[in-house]
Amino acid sequence: MLTPFPYVRPIAAVTGCLALAATLTACDGASAAADEKVVTVYSADGLKGEAGDGWYDKVFEDFEKETGIKVKYVEGGSGEMVQRAAREKSNTQADVLVTLPPFIQQADSKGLLAAYAPKGSDQVSGADKADDGKWTSVVNNYFGFIRNKKRANPAPKTWEELLDPKFKDKVQYSTPGVAGDGTAVLIKALHDFGGQEPAMAYLKKLQANNVGPSSSTSKLAPKVDKGEILVANGDVQMNFAQARTMPNLDIWFPAKDGGKPTTFALPYAAGLVAKAPHGENGKKLLDFMLGERAQREVSAIGGGFPARQDVKPTDANAIELAELMNGVEVFEPDWADIDENLTAYVDAWKTATGS
């Protein structure tokens, strides 16, 4: 069952500006970066297609044609991208940062983002953007799991079923604290099991079947499709898009034994990087991603959900995605608590699993 809802900037030397008039043009170096026709995006994986057929691929191509601004793209786990931006804080290289929660909030708390409300952000739900304008969702999404529908049959429905010895070395989830979807495993377990202690007790048991850590969630789907593992975590948008070329993938939402399947919104949230070397270009790209044309392509090309509430696509993917979420309970995590206590939750997970 498939289911969705809801590098270095040029620095002109001071002495160069004090030289003879003939060399004064060197002082223009300080503004050269701002005028350069380039924008650098640091992003969580999932929106760029492996075959060049993803939402990013189309949006970046259209953006470059329309503006003449070339997009430089750097991809990794959500936590990895925030950490990289933090390391570069004194010598900023990224212009736009796109991550999943809670890492976009983490980026904000580290002072990595500048306030900017892209055009169209007034149509984004208040829950999907920051009150201070530091970030705005550009693609809505939901957390989920995947299985190999040929070999993991009958389909598992509950967390408890994953403890069965038949899943020995056949379950894998990406690393909490590093990957956004990996952190989402913790968040969903905390919700479904009713708190930290029972969630960690479960994840400790699951470790007997877990293959081990993975810094990238997107790398797990090919392993599930080939049957190397049978179950992995993911998210609806990414896995729905991957299923076009990986026919054995099936999206599902684990339930606590006796309960309903649950999920929560896990949007791709974008922000303008503070002291961005090409900040004006970054603003243009954010405007473009939230434009009506790009938003209508979110489902048809990207397999996700528009961030704008006034954009309601009716393509085949949008219809299938709507059906995917039938019967799935959507809860809203306490993102303020998660942002404040994420390190403690990850440390508890490490202790429980011996990771």
Side-chain angles (χ1 to χ4, degrees):
M1 106 182 162
L2 285 178
T3 357
F5 245 47
Y7 105 19
V8 178
R9 285 184 288 168
I11 303 174
V14 173
T15 53
C17 296
L18 299 176
L20 297 176
T23 64
L24 284 178
T25 52
C27 296
D28 292 337
S31 62
D35 295 336
E36 192 178 357
K37 288 286 192 177
V38 66
V39 59
T40 299
V41 177
Y42 283 7
S43 178
D45 50 7
L47 292 175
K48 200 170 191 304
E50 302 232 347
D53 56 354
W55 186 70
Y56 270 163
D57 300 286
K58 181 65 162 58
V59 169
F60 292 168
E61 180 183 359
D62 290 346
F63 177 72
E64 186 171 348
K65 286 179 180 178
E66 188 168 307
T67 66
I69 299 170
K70 180 176 178 59
V71 179
K72 292 185 178 180
Y73 179 71
V74 180
E75 180 181 282
S78 286
E80 178 187 356
M81 290 295 93
V82 173
Q83 290 166 13
R84 178 166 176 167
R87 290 195 303 269
E88 298 169 351
K89 194 172 181 180
S90 62
N91 184 24
T92 311
Q93 298 185 39
D95 301 300
V96 172
L97 178 66
V98 185
T99 74
L100 306 180
F103 294 99
I104 196 68
Q105 291 92 339
Q106 187 181 87
D108 189 6
S109 67
K110 290 178 180 290
L112 300 179
L113 304 177
Y116 178 67
K119 296 174 183 177
S121 60
D122 59 317
Q123 296 293 335
V124 175
S125 167
D128 296 328
K129 60 186 176 184
D131 293 336
D132 60 3
K134 295 291 183 64
W135 56 267
T136 305
S137 297
V138 291
V139 172
N140 275 346
N141 193 18
Y142 296 86
F143 176 67
F145 272 60
I146 49 175
R147 69 171 178 115
N148 181 298
K149 61 186 177 184
K150 287 187 175 180
R151 297 188 55 195
N153 205 6
K157 295 181 179 179
T158 68
W159 287 102
E160 288 80 3
E161 288 177 75
L162 298 182
L163 301 178
D164 192 296
K166 70 181 180 182
F167 288 111
K168 175 71 173 176
D169 295 329
K170 295 297 181 181
V171 175
Q172 189 172 18
Y173 58 91
S174 50
T175 310
V178 175
D181 287 326
T183 305
V185 172
L186 274 187
I187 294 170
K188 181 168 157 58
L190 288 166
H191 172 270
D192 287 4
F193 288 95
Q196 178 175 313
E197 187 174 340
M200 298 308 156
Y202 170 80
L203 292 172
K204 181 178 181 179
K205 294 178 183 178
L206 183 63
Q207 198 66 9
N209 288 346
N210 186 24
V211 172
S214 172
S215 61
S216 172
T217 311
S218 64
K219 294 180 181 178
L220 300 180
K223 297 170 70 174
V224 172
D225 183 59
K226 295 174 185 175
E228 295 174 12
I229 57 176
L230 299 183
V231 173
N233 67 312
D235 61 70
V236 171
Q237 176 278 323
M238 177 174 64
N239 296 142
F240 189 91
Q242 289 173 317
R244 290 195 296 249
T245 57
M246 301 179 193
N248 294 320
L249 295 188
D250 184 48
I251 299 172
W252 65 293
F253 304 90
K256 176 77 170 60
D257 194 19
K260 292 182 178 181
T262 68
T263 188
F264 60 97
L266 203 59
Y268 290 90
L272 182 70
V273 177
K275 299 179 182 178
H278 312 100
E280 291 305 310
N281 295 345
K283 292 177 182 179
K284 291 177 182 177
L285 179 59
L286 288 169
D287 290 346
F288 196 87
M289 287 195 289
L290 268 181
E292 187 172 342
R293 178 177 62 173
Q295 286 291 297
R296 288 197 177 279
E297 294 172 338
V298 166
S299 56
I301 295 176
F305 310 86
R308 287 178 52 159
Q309 295 176 305
D310 62 332
V311 175
K312 303 184 184 300
T314 57
D315 58 89
N317 282 354
I319 293 170
E320 187 174 353
L321 285 167
E323 292 174 351
L324 183 63
M325 291 309 290
N326 274 341
V328 181
E329 180 182 285
V330 179
F331 65 91
E332 184 174 340
D334 184 344
W335 291 115
D337 170 75
I338 293 164
D339 183 37
E340 181 180 352
N341 297 302
L342 178 60
T343 299
Y345 291 143
V346 172
D347 286 345
W349 169 79
K350 290 178 179 177
T351 298
T353 61
S355 299

